[in-house]
């Protein structure tokens, strides 16, 4: 009987893990599993821990504790898990990001595993689409990180061996007056071959494409049409394989011609700083300050007031402006610091335009944060996901009683987690 129950638990967890979602991890607790299989929580916990010792499932030692089917997780993420125990779900997430051959490493992108994840996936899938990718427009306000995102996707494709040997990455930076010179560089002239003529495997990253002239756009359309006709022919290796990242700081319809837009099947908008979650804004601020600390070879501490002010700041060029402000206040704090190896940033170091946007808090307890040892908290996101699950049944076409029971179940799990 015991072995049968244990096998039932293992089979149930395997089916559940095949659809694992970080936002709905509450299903992977002993309490939930016991409830679903109509056995006590203590009995479910006993068998689950035995299965951990047998190396069949993995344990996440957070509050509450989660259990994940090892083989199902390995199949889902196409990696081999060398660990049995994880400290929390964040450690599981980082492990997957670092070792998954499908997704690549996006740990250098703040929000790469959260708000940016769907955009990364869409761009990556377009870029990797055989035989030579789908052209993609990546647009958003200046400074939101379009270039870093596309460069990271390219680097991961190189590491995974998706790009053929000899593929060249070419970045062209457009301004209001250089379309002609960049056109000559790319397409060549009567006297000199261009980049297109010299290489058969290319990745073109066209930055600031809102400044491309009509003539350049027309030549780019002709190039895309030619490459498409060639790729439709026979043979495993086509004559030209060109992948396109077209980066635009404005709405594409306002800057690019209709003919060019018709040639680009995928358009992705990257959110600006204001649109990012509070947790990601905080992480971005800490990330840039930590980088300055590494550059200055110093440990940088900031007050909670400074962190709140920088998170609430208004940045016309998003992360570019944020980096500039942080460099400015770090320089001022370094000058005023006696110990150059430990820099403390106070509110009086902030520029006036940042202080003006900071919400007033009269009862705030000021604390100091060591940016070198800072670690983000996922508690808010965890609770937020549970709240979404509580309301979700009422948005679906179900009878009220069934919706209420499903919602109550999620609510009970949240109460258990909070208590």
């Amino acid at each position: 009987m015991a072995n049968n129950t244990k096998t039932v638990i293992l089979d149930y967890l395997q089916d559940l893990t095949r659809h694992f979602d970080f936002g709905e991890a509450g299903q992977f607790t002993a309490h939930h599993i016991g409830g679903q299989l109509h056995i006590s929580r203590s009995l479910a916990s006993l068998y689950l821990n035995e299965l951990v010792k047998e190396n069949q499932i993995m344990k996440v030692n957070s509050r509450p504790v989660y259990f994940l089917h090892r083989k199902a997780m390995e199949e889902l993420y196409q990696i081999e898990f060398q660990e049995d125990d994880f400290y929390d779900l964040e450690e599981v997430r980082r492990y997957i990001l670092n070792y998954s051959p499908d997704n690549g490493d996006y740990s250098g992108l703040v929000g790469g595993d959260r708000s940016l994840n769907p955009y990364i996936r869409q761009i990556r899938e377009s870029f990797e689409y055989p035989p030579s990718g789908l052209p993609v427009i990546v647009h958003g306000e200046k400074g939101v990180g379009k270039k870093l995102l596309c460069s990271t996707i390219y680097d991961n494709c190189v590491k995974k061996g998706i790009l053929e040997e000899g593929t060249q990455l070419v970045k062209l930076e457009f301004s209001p007056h250089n379309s002609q010179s960049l056109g000559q560089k790319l397409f060549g002239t009567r006297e000199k071959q261009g980049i297109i003529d010299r290489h058969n495997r290319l990745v073109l990253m066209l930055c600031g494409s809102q400044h491309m002239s009509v003539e350049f756009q027309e030549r780019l359309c002709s190039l895309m049409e030619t490459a498409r006709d060639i790729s439709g022919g026979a043979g495993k290796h086509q004559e030209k394989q060109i992948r396109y990242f077209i980066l635009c700081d404005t709405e594409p319809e306002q800057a690019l011609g209709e003919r060019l837009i018709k040639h680009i099947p995928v358009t992705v908008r990257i959110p600006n700083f204001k649109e990012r979650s509070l947790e990601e804004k905080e992480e971005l601020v800490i990330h840039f300050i930590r980088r300055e600390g590494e550059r200055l070879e110093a440990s940088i501490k900031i007050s909670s007031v400074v962190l709140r002010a920088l998170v609430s700041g208004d940045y016309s060029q998003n992360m570019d402006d944020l980096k500039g402000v942080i460099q400015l206040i770090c320089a001022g704090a370094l000058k005023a610091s006696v110990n150059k190896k430990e820099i403390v940033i106070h509110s009086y170091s902030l520029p006036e335009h940042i202080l003006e946007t900071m919400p007033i808090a009269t009862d705030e307890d000021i604390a100091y944060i060591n940016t070198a040892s800072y670690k983000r908290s996922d508690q808010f996101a965890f609770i937020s996901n549970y709240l979404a699950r509580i309301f979700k049944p009422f948005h679906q076409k179900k009878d009220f009683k069934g919706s209420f029971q499903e919602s109550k179940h999620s609510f009970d799990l949240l109460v258990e987690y909070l208590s």
Side-chain angles (χ1 to χ4, degrees), residues 180-217:
Q180 184 177 356
S181 60
L182 291 183
Q184 292 174 353
K185 180 179 180 180
L186 184 63
F187 299 108
T189 62
R190 290 181 179 179
E191 294 78 22
K192 187 178 179 181
Q193 278 190 330
I195 294 170
I196 298 295
D197 298 316
R198 297 197 302 270
H199 302 283
N200 286 331
R201 306 282 183 267
L202 284 171
V203 174
L204 293 182
M205 187 181 295
L206 308 180
C207 309
S209 62
Q210 69 273 11
H211 298 305
M212 286 193 303
S213 66
V214 174
E215 181 186 356
F216 188 97
Q217 291 186 44

Side-chain angles (χ1 to χ4, degrees), residues 114-115 272-284 311 380:
R114 288 181 288 172
S115 71
N272 60 30
F273 182 79
K274 281 186 177 180
E275 293 169 325
R276 304 284 282 268
S277 69
L278 183 64
E279 291 76 24
E280 286 184 6
K281 290 179 187 177
E282 181 179 303
E283 198 175 351
L284 280 163
V311 165
F380 178 83

Side-chain angles (χ1 to χ4, degrees), residues 153-296:
I153 289 173
Y154 167 80
D155 291 339
N156 278 310
C157 285
V158 171
K159 291 175 185 175
K160 291 187 287 183
I162 289 172
L163 302 179
E164 291 198 17
E165 187 177 352
T167 299
Q168 299 292 315
L169 173 65
V170 177
K171 295 181 183 179
L172 299 181
E173 297 275 355
F174 287 85
S175 69
H177 308 294
N178 69 349
S179 281
Q180 184 177 356
S181 60
L182 291 183
Q184 292 174 353
K185 180 179 180 180
L186 184 63
F187 299 108
T189 62
R190 290 181 179 179
E191 294 78 22
K192 187 178 179 181
Q193 278 190 330
I195 294 170
I196 298 295
D197 298 316
R198 297 197 302 270
H199 302 283
N200 286 331
R201 306 282 183 267
L202 284 171
V203 174
L204 293 182
M205 187 181 295
L206 308 180
C207 309
S209 62
Q210 69 273 11
H211 298 305
M212 286 193 303
S213 66
V214 174
E215 181 186 356
F216 188 97
Q217 291 186 44
E218 289 298 312
R219 297 188 73 177
L220 190 60
C221 288
S222 299
L223 176 63
M224 289 179 175
E225 290 166 359
T226 303
R228 184 182 62 197
D229 293 341
I230 293 172
S231 65
K236 186 177 179 181
H237 300 284
Q238 288 78 35
E239 182 182 346
K240 291 283 183 188
Q241 287 196 359
I242 305 175
R243 300 171 192 259
Y244 301 88
F245 289 126
I246 299 178
L247 280 51
C248 190
D249 297 340
T250 61
E251 291 290 335
E253 292 77 10
Q254 298 175 3
L256 304 178
E258 185 178 347
R259 183 186 173 195
L260 179 58
I261 290 176
K262 284 182 177 179
H263 280 79
I264 306 172
V266 182
T267 301
V268 178
R269 178 185 176 274
I270 307 302
N272 60 30
F273 182 79
K274 281 186 177 180
E275 293 169 325
R276 304 284 282 268
S277 69
L278 183 64
E279 291 76 24
E280 286 184 6
K281 290 179 187 177
E282 181 179 303
E283 198 175 351
L284 280 163
V285 169
I286 297 291
H287 172 74
F288 291 131
I289 294 177
R290 185 183 287 159
R291 273 179 37 179
E292 283 302 300
E294 292 170 354
R295 192 175 65 83
L296 297 171

